């Protein structure tokens, strides 16, 4: 490790940036794989079923004690799912617009990974010059909303390129839904940044570093509620999965997709859930800080503990996403639009006004 200190500051910066990108990318992909398994297990628990408990490599099940236990937990199911997507026939219908048809899945998956770049997932690993964020932008939240809004183009393009009525309707629904709830989501965080006075996400975490009761979820509960519900709509999750509702549109915008192209839509949905959870942890739950407070880590162990704290908070919100999907029925489309335009946008505006009045009263 001492050899690192002989490198120039620029080389150290590039080296640490590459390590952080690989770490964030690897952790996100692992989370996607096991979020699918968690969804299957939680849905099985809610429906009083066993869930995945069969898939395993050939020799694993013959290991004494630990082998059967791992198989029963279903830990190898994500590997089986990945192989299935890779080995299935990649069929492209003759009537689709091929270039857009191939481009749409990538456009859906990529923005979710780009958004992770500005989220501080830890403090430091001992060196204060290398914070655990890939790009510590002063306008991090604007970058987040700008990149996240690109995801809708992939879905709209998939609906257009499929040249079929159900995907087209799914694409139209998705564009209207995502634009509607982006407004409410963006307005909800305005009040948060009025209180903190900075758009940098690392500063947001530092503001909440005093402990549990400094977290913004207590100071801006309405903003958190609006952001949470809008996140369900932005990620096309139940009860707002109208762009792909099976009972009305077969599979919506991804009806014509198969194999790895379909897997990319799947990857994009779960990566968006992870990103939304990470942003909520950063904005409302203190980011990487412990509930009892504390500043940046001064050593490796403390830095790893901060990353673990961030991941645990994120997993709790992911579990909430999954639980809601299996507990609530789907909204009608008019109800979805009514909730977004006639409830959440006025509420977010009122929250901004009340926050401004309180801040003006406290800081005359």
């Amino acid at each position: 490790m001492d050899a690192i200190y002989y490198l120039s500051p620029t080389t150290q910066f590039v080296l640490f940036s590459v390590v952080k990108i690989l770490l964030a990318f690897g952790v996100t992909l692992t989370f996607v794989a096991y979020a699918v398994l968690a969804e299957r297990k939680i849905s099985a628990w809610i429906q009083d079923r066993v869930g995945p408990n069969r898939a395993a490599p050939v020799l694993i099940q013959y290991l004494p004690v630990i082998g059967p236990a791992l198989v029963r937990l279903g830990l190898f199911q994500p590997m089986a799912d990945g192989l299935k997507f890779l080995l299935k026939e990649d069929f492209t219908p003759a009537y689709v617009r091929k270039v857009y048809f191939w481009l749409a899945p990538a456009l859906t998956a990529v923005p979710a990974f780009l958004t992770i770049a500005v989220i501080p997932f830890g403090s430091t690993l001992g060196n204060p010059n290398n914070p655990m964020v890939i790009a510590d932008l002063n306008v991090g939240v604007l970058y987040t909303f700008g990149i996240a809004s690109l995801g809708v183009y992939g879905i709209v393009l998939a609906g257009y390129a499929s040249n079929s009525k159900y995907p087209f309707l799914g694409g139209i629904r998705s564009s209207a839904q995502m634009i509607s709830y982006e407004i409410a989501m963006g307005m909800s965080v305005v009040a948060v940044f009025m209180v903190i006075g900075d758009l940098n996400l690392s500063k947001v975490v530092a503001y909440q570093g005093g402990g549990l009761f400094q977290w913004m979820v207590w100071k801006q509960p309405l903003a958190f509620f609006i952001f949470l519900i809008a996140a369900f709509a932005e990620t096309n999750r139940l009860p707002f999965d109208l762009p792909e509702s099976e009972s009305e549109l077969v599979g919506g915008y991804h009806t014509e997709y198969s194999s790895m192209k379909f897997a990319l839509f799947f990857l994009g949905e779960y990566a968006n859930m992870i990103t939304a959870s990470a942003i909520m942890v950063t904005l409302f739950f203190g980011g990487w800080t412990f509930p009892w407070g504390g500043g940046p880590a001064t050593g490796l162990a403390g830095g790893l503990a901060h990353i673990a704290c961030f991941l645990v908070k994120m997993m709790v919100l992911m579990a909430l996403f999954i639980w809601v999907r299996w507990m609530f029925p789907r909204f009608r489309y008019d109800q979805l639009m009514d909730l977004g335009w006639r409830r959440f946008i006025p509420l977010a505006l009122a929250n901004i006004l009340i926050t401004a009045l309180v801040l003006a009263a406290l800081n005359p």
Side-chain angles (χ1 to χ4, degrees):
M1 289 292 290
D2 291 341
I4 293 174
Y5 298 107
Y6 292 104
L7 300 174
S8 68
T10 306
T11 312
Q12 283 188 31
F13 172 76
V14 172
L15 182 64
F16 276 109
S17 296
V18 170
V19 169
K20 284 186 283 190
I21 290 169
L22 292 176
L23 184 68
F25 192 68
V27 168
T28 306
L29 283 180
T30 307
F31 259 79
V32 168
Y34 282 92
V36 176
L37 175 63
E39 174 130 29
R40 290 183 174 192
K41 284 289 185 183
I42 291 173
S43 65
W45 172 65
I46 290 171
Q47 296 172 345
D48 199 18
R49 295 185 284 109
V50 177
N53 66 344
R54 293 286 190 277
V58 178
L59 299 178
I60 290 291
Q61 55 190 322
Y62 297 112
L63 290 173
V65 185
I66 192 168
L70 292 176
V71 174
R72 275 199 299 276
L73 288 172
L75 292 182
F76 302 104
Q77 186 65 40
M79 293 168 59
D81 291 339
L83 279 174
K84 182 185 76 176
F85 281 125
L86 282 170
L87 298 176
K88 281 182 90 170
E89 180 187 6
D90 188 11
F91 179 72
T92 302
Y95 48 82
V96 302
R97 300 174 173 93
K98 288 190 173 52
V99 175
Y100 302 128
F101 189 78
W102 293 334
L103 187 62
L107 269 179
T108 306
V110 169
F113 288 96
L114 293 177
T115 309
I116 291 170
V118 295
I119 297 173
F121 54 88
S123 55
T124 69
L125 294 179
N127 184 351
N129 295 322
N130 287 304
M132 290 295 103
V133 55
I134 296 171
D136 195 16
L137 300 182
N138 287 332
V139 289
V141 73
L142 296 181
Y143 169 88
T144 302
F145 278 93
I147 295 295
S149 65
L150 296 178
V152 70
Y153 291 106
I155 295 174
V156 172
L157 205 58
Y160 167 73
S162 296
N163 204 16
S164 170
K165 60 183 176 185
Y166 290 131
F168 183 74
L169 285 171
I172 294 293
R173 278 187 178 188
S174 177
S175 58
Q177 175 175 325
M178 293 180 82
I179 291 168
S180 303
Y181 279 83
E182 259 179 21
I183 298 170
M185 180 183 266
M187 291 173 69
S188 71
V189 299
V190 169
V192 173
F193 289 103
M194 285 169 68
V195 174
I196 295 171
D198 204 305
L199 293 175
N200 185 305
L201 293 178
S202 295
K203 300 282 178 58
V204 174
V205 175
Y207 179 88
Q208 302 173 82
L212 180 67
F213 295 107
Q214 282 294 316
W215 291 359
M216 288 304 295
V217 68
W218 309 120
K219 296 183 179 180
Q220 287 291 330
L222 184 58
F224 169 67
F225 179 72
I226 294 171
F227 193 97
L228 176 68
I229 304 301
F232 278 96
E234 288 288 301
T235 52
N236 293 325
R237 296 280 299 181
L238 264 172
F240 303 132
D241 69 333
L242 291 147
E244 55 180 86
S245 53
E246 298 89 349
S247 56
E248 300 168 28
L249 302 179
V250 186
Y253 56 89
H254 54 57
T255 302
E256 306 292 348
Y257 285 89
S258 60
S259 186
M260 277 310 292
K261 295 194 195 78
F262 176 78
L264 282 174
F265 283 116
F266 214 58
L267 179 69
E269 178 182 328
Y270 280 86
N272 280 323
M273 278 171 57
I274 291 168
T275 306
S277 302
I279 294 172
M280 281 191 279
V281 168
T282 304
L283 292 179
F284 298 103
F285 293 96
W288 45 261
T289 60
F290 296 119
W292 53 88
T298 54
L300 180 64
L304 292 176
H306 280 155
I307 294 174
C309 180
F310 182 84
L311 294 179
V312 168
K313 291 176 185 176
M314 213 173 74
M315 283 191 279
V316 171
L317 288 172
M318 289 282 293
L320 178 65
F321 267 97
I322 294 170
W323 180 79
V324 166
R325 176 180 178 183
W326 294 95
M327 294 300 290
F328 289 87
R330 180 181 298 128
F331 276 47
R332 287 199 323 263
Y333 194 68
D334 61 307
Q335 292 172 330
L336 174 81
M337 286 292 136
D338 184 76
L339 188 66
W341 287 99
R342 296 181 58 192
R343 303 289 189 276
F344 282 171
I345 291 177
L347 274 176
L349 275 171
N351 193 38
I352 292 171
L353 181 63
I354 292 168
T355 304
L357 291 174
V358 171
L359 288 174
L362 293 177
N363 303 289

